[in-house]
Amino acid sequence: MHGEYKVPGGKLVVVDLEVQDGRIADFHLAGDFFLEPDDALLDIDRAVTGLPVESDVATIAAAVRAALPEGAQLLGFTPEAVGTAVRRALVTAPGWSDFDWQIVHDPAVSPRMNLALDEVLTARVGDGRRSPTLRIWEWDESAVVIGSFQSYRNEVDPEGAARHGFDVVRRISGGGAMLMGAGSIVTYSLYVPASLVAGMTFADSYAFLDDWVLHALRSLGIDAVYQPLNDIASPQGKIGGAAQKRLANGGVLHHATLSYDMDGDVLTDVLRIGREKLSDKGTVSAAKRVDPLRRQTGLPREAIIDRFIETFATLYGAEPGTITADEYAEAEALVESKFATEAWLHRVP
């Protein structure tokens, strides 16, 4: 069995193993990482050999860590990365290159339509009616998008939202509120089969699915890093955050919103939670906690999106695609039955 795991921001970890009588046998670790001393590689191989095939990432990592000699240096990978690669080998998880990817960057639709498309396209990837897809959002009005489990009255100031022209909508994924000002953010969604992240912890899958965007940001001169659980940041502050939703049919939605430009006063006028977070951290201005892409690059939003598309296509061989008329029709029906209803918006009062 063969498994691979590219550490986000790090190196490739490769494992080969056999299974005998319910235990891992003939285990070998390889990769483009750095490890000192050299013979620590054999210590890792011996530590994993003999473990039960049911061992989870934490158990494998603990065995590796216990076997390492004092002072061993692991650069570009961790014992947890070894555990993840092992789990992926045991479940025969595919890699990015095993799929035919599409990139969709269609004309603007309403925020509610974007949310409905997320659900429709995730479901279609899950049941095999669509190939895995990266979709760049465009929208025709400003909106506050709150997380599936957030309280409407605790998160949003309706008067502030109305004053600044922000509609309020709810998405199917968890996480915090997104302030989607017209032309002021970059949002993308990945629709992938669960097999792509098989063997990973939920937390690891976040960084894994956003690793490509770190490549894109770094190519623009931004020292971008991933901060668990779901933040993309630079040394100057947060750039954006991600959220996920996993459907019963095996479809996984992973989407992220990155700040292109921002007005801290608008944020604290529209979002109640923004005031609490700033107060809790002793921060005077929201602008000091967020590092927008426009300030860092000086580039138009369209140029940043072009670099995202170019990077994803180069890394994974993705081809341009589009949303079909049938998919739009299904999403429109879902807007009417779900995303435009008061029952959905206020499902958590």
Side-chain angles (χ1 to χ4, degrees):
M1 296 179 177
H2 179 86
E4 298 184 0
Y5 176 60
K6 169 65 171 61
V7 179
K11 298 298 184 177
L12 180 67
V13 177
V14 181
V15 301
D16 290 283
L17 58 92
E18 302 294 335
V19 172
Q20 295 177 3
D21 300 325
R23 292 186 176 273
I24 297 171
D26 197 23
F27 177 82
H28 297 283
L29 172 68
D32 60 354
F33 49 77
F34 298 91
L35 175 64
E36 294 291 344
D38 282 354
D39 55 10
L41 186 66
L42 296 178
D43 294 326
I44 295 174
D45 288 351
R46 284 192 288 262
V48 178
T49 297
L51 290 176
V53 294
E54 298 84 7
S55 299
D56 60 13
V57 171
T59 300
I60 298 167
V64 170
R65 193 170 277 111
L68 290 170
E70 184 176 356
Q73 297 291 313
L74 284 66
L75 302 177
F77 79 116
T78 63
E80 285 74 17
V82 176
T84 299
V86 171
R87 291 309 315 163
R88 288 176 64 76
L90 290 169
V91 299
T92 61
W96 292 90
S97 60
D98 293 314
F99 298 100
D100 295 323
W101 292 89
Q102 283 191 20
I103 301 175
V104 172
H105 189 201
D106 279 1
V109 294
S110 71
R112 289 184 177 89
M113 188 65 169
N114 273 306
L115 298 177
L117 284 169
D118 267 359
E119 185 167 338
V120 168
L121 300 181
T122 303
R124 291 196 173 212
V125 169
D127 61 26
R129 289 183 290 161
R130 163 175 278 276
S131 63
T133 300
L134 166 69
R135 181 172 72 92
I136 308 294
W137 289 30
E138 296 293 350
W139 60 100
D140 54 13
E141 58 182 306
S142 297
V144 179
V145 182
I146 60 176
S148 179
F149 310 110
Q150 289 188 296
S151 163
Y152 176 92
R153 63 175 172 235
N154 289 343
E155 300 293 332
V156 180
D157 183 330
E159 293 182 358
R163 184 165 56 251
H164 292 286
F166 281 81
D167 192 10
V168 184
V169 294
R170 184 185 295 275
R171 64 181 184 269
I172 62 172
S173 63
M178 305 188 307
L179 199 69
M180 294 180 55
S184 65
I185 63 167
V186 177
T187 295
Y188 60 83
S189 293
L190 278 168
Y191 314 107
V192 307
S195 59
L196 180 63
V197 292
M200 297 184 195
T201 65
F202 195 79
D204 284 344
S205 72
Y206 272 79
F208 177 76
L209 291 174
D210 276 334
D211 192 46
W212 69 273
V213 86
L214 299 185
H215 285 275
L217 291 170
R218 290 167 186 161
S219 76
L220 293 168
I222 299 171
D223 186 16
V225 296
Y226 209 88
Q227 295 182 341
L229 170 66
N230 62 336
D231 284 350
I232 298 168
S234 75
Q236 287 70 44
K238 178 177 175 178
I239 298 171
Q244 282 188 17
K245 175 66 176 180
R246 302 190 178 202
L247 303 185
N249 74 345
V252 176
L253 164 64
H254 177 95
H255 48 195
T257 293
L258 283 64
S259 175
Y260 172 70
D261 202 0
M262 75 166 295
D263 185 326
D265 293 333
V266 172
L267 184 149
T268 54
D269 242 8
V270 174
L271 299 180
R272 298 187 193 278
I273 197 67
R275 303 164 198 171
E276 181 63 26
K277 282 184 177 179
L278 297 179
S279 172
D280 178 59
K281 291 178 169 44
T283 305
V284 176
S285 168
K288 293 183 179 179
R289 293 190 62 236
V290 178
D291 195 21
L293 297 176
R294 181 178 183 180
R295 187 205 66 76
Q296 294 194 68
T297 66
L299 294 172
R301 176 177 174 273
E302 294 75 15
I304 292 172
I305 289 173
D306 287 345
R307 180 60 59 86
F308 281 15
I309 292 172
E310 175 188 353
T311 300
F312 193 89
T314 300
L315 287 172
Y316 308 131
E319 298 291 339
T322 190
I323 298 168
T324 67
D326 184 50
E327 289 167 336
Y328 274 122
E330 186 177 345
E332 286 171 358
L334 196 55
V335 168
E336 293 301 316
S337 65
K338 181 175 181 177
F339 290 101
T341 66
E342 290 296 306
W344 173 253
L345 178 61
H346 296 281
R347 78 183 194 96
V348 181

